Coordinates of all heavy atoms in Angstrom, one line a residue:
Chain A
G161 N 79.2 4.5 10.2 CA 79.9 5.3 11.1 C 79.6 6.8 11.0 O 80.5 7.6 10.7
H162 N 78.3 7.3 11.3 CA 78.0 8.8 11.1 C 77.4 9.3 12.5 O 76.6 8.7 13.0 CB 77.2 9.1 10.0 CG 77.9 8.7 8.6 ND1 78.6 9.7 8.0 CD2 78.1 7.6 8.0 CE1 79.1 9.1 6.9 NE2 78.8 7.9 7.0
G163 N 77.9 10.5 12.8 CA 77.5 11.0 14.2 C 76.2 11.7 14.3 O 75.8 11.9 15.5
I164 N 75.6 12.3 13.3 CA 74.5 13.1 13.4 C 73.2 12.3 13.0 O 73.1 11.6 12.0 CB 74.6 14.3 12.3 CG1 75.8 15.2 12.7 CG2 73.2 15.2 12.6 CD1 75.9 15.8 14.0
V165 N 72.3 12.3 14.0 CA 71.1 11.5 13.9 C 70.5 11.7 12.5 O 70.0 12.8 12.3 CB 70.2 11.6 15.1 CG1 68.8 10.9 14.8 CG2 70.8 11.3 16.4
G166 N 70.4 10.7 11.7 CA 69.6 10.8 10.4 C 70.5 11.3 9.3 O 70.1 11.2 8.1
G167 N 71.6 11.8 9.6 CA 72.5 12.5 8.6 C 73.1 11.6 7.6 O 73.4 11.9 6.4
Q168 N 73.2 10.3 8.0 CA 73.7 9.3 7.1 C 72.6 8.7 6.1 O 73.0 8.0 5.1 CB 74.2 8.1 7.9 CG 73.4 7.0 8.4 CD 72.5 7.5 9.6 OE1 72.6 8.6 10.1 NE2 71.7 6.6 10.2
V169 N 71.4 9.0 6.3 CA 70.3 8.4 5.6 C 70.3 8.8 4.1 O 70.2 8.1 3.1 CB 69.0 8.5 6.2 CG1 67.9 7.8 5.5 CG2 69.1 7.7 7.7
P170 N 70.5 10.2 3.9 CA 70.6 10.6 2.4 C 71.9 10.0 1.8 O 71.9 9.7 0.6 CB 70.7 12.2 2.5 CG 70.0 12.5 3.8 CD 70.3 11.4 4.7
L171 N 73.0 9.9 2.6 CA 74.2 9.3 2.0 C 73.9 7.9 1.6 O 74.4 7.5 0.4 CB 75.3 9.2 3.0 CG 75.9 10.6 3.6 CD1 77.0 10.4 4.6 CD2 76.3 11.5 2.5
G172 N 73.2 7.1 2.3 CA 72.9 5.7 2.1 C 72.1 5.6 0.8 O 72.2 4.8 -0.1
T173 N 71.1 6.6 0.7 CA 70.3 6.8 -0.5 C 71.2 7.0 -1.8 O 70.9 6.6 -2.9 CB 69.3 7.8 -0.3 OG1 68.7 7.6 1.0 CG2 68.2 7.8 -1.4
G174 N 72.2 7.8 -1.5 CA 73.2 8.1 -2.7 C 74.0 6.9 -3.0 O 74.3 6.7 -4.3
L175 N 74.3 6.1 -2.1 CA 75.0 4.8 -2.4 C 74.1 3.9 -3.3 O 74.5 3.5 -4.4 CB 75.4 3.9 -1.1 CG 76.4 4.6 -0.2 CD1 76.4 3.7 1.1 CD2 77.7 4.6 -0.8
A176 N 72.9 3.9 -3.0 CA 71.9 3.2 -3.9 C 71.8 3.9 -5.2 O 71.7 3.2 -6.3 CB 70.5 3.2 -3.2
Y177 N 71.8 5.2 -5.2 CA 71.7 5.9 -6.5 C 73.0 5.5 -7.4 O 72.8 5.3 -8.6 CB 71.8 7.5 -6.2 CG 71.6 8.3 -7.5 CD1 70.3 8.7 -7.9 CD2 72.7 8.7 -8.2 CE1 70.2 9.4 -9.1 CE2 72.5 9.5 -9.3 CZ 71.2 9.8 -9.8 OH 71.2 10.6 -11.0
A178 N 74.2 5.5 -6.8 CA 75.3 5.0 -7.5 C 75.3 3.6 -8.1 O 75.6 3.4 -9.2 CB 76.6 5.3 -6.7
I179 N 74.7 2.8 -7.2 CA 74.5 1.3 -7.6 C 73.7 1.3 -8.9 O 74.0 0.6 -9.8 CB 73.9 0.6 -6.4 CG1 74.9 0.4 -5.3 CG2 73.4 -0.9 -6.9 CD1 74.2 -0.1 -4.0
K180 N 72.6 2.0 -8.8 CA 71.6 2.0 -9.9 C 72.2 2.6 -11.1 O 72.1 2.2 -12.2 CB 70.3 2.7 -9.6 CG 69.3 2.5 -10.6 CD 67.9 2.9 -10.0 CE 66.8 2.5 -11.1 NZ 65.4 2.9 -10.6
Y181 N 72.9 3.7 -10.9 CA 73.5 4.5 -12.0 C 74.5 3.6 -12.8 O 74.5 3.6 -14.0 CB 74.2 5.7 -11.5 CG 74.7 6.7 -12.5 CD1 73.8 7.8 -13.0 CD2 76.0 6.7 -13.1 CE1 74.4 8.6 -14.0 CE2 76.4 7.5 -14.0 CZ 75.6 8.5 -14.4 OH 76.0 9.4 -15.5
K182 N 75.3 2.8 -12.1 CA 76.2 1.9 -12.6 C 75.7 0.6 -13.2 O 76.5 -0.1 -13.8 CB 77.3 1.6 -11.6 CG 78.1 2.8 -11.1 CD 79.2 2.5 -10.1 CE 80.1 3.6 -9.7 NZ 81.2 3.2 -8.8
G183 N 74.3 0.5 -13.0 CA 73.7 -0.8 -13.5 C 74.1 -2.0 -12.7 O 74.1 -3.1 -13.3
L184 N 74.5 -1.9 -11.5 CA 74.8 -3.0 -10.7 C 73.6 -3.6 -9.9 O 72.6 -2.9 -9.7 CB 75.9 -2.6 -9.6 CG 77.2 -2.0 -10.2 CD1 78.1 -1.5 -9.0 CD2 77.9 -3.1 -11.0
K185 N 73.7 -4.8 -9.6 CA 72.6 -5.6 -8.9 C 73.0 -5.6 -7.4 O 73.3 -6.6 -6.9 CB 72.4 -6.9 -9.4 CG 72.0 -7.0 -10.9 CD 70.4 -6.8 -10.9 CE 70.0 -6.9 -12.4 NZ 68.7 -6.1 -12.6

Side-chain angles (χ1 to χ4, degrees):
Chain A
H162 293 268
I164 303 296
V165 172
Q168 79 284 4
V169 179
L171 298 181
T173 309
L175 294 172
Y177 185 89
I179 290 165
K180 188 168 187 177
Y181 188 88
K182 293 177 176 185
L184 301 170
K185 296 279 182 205

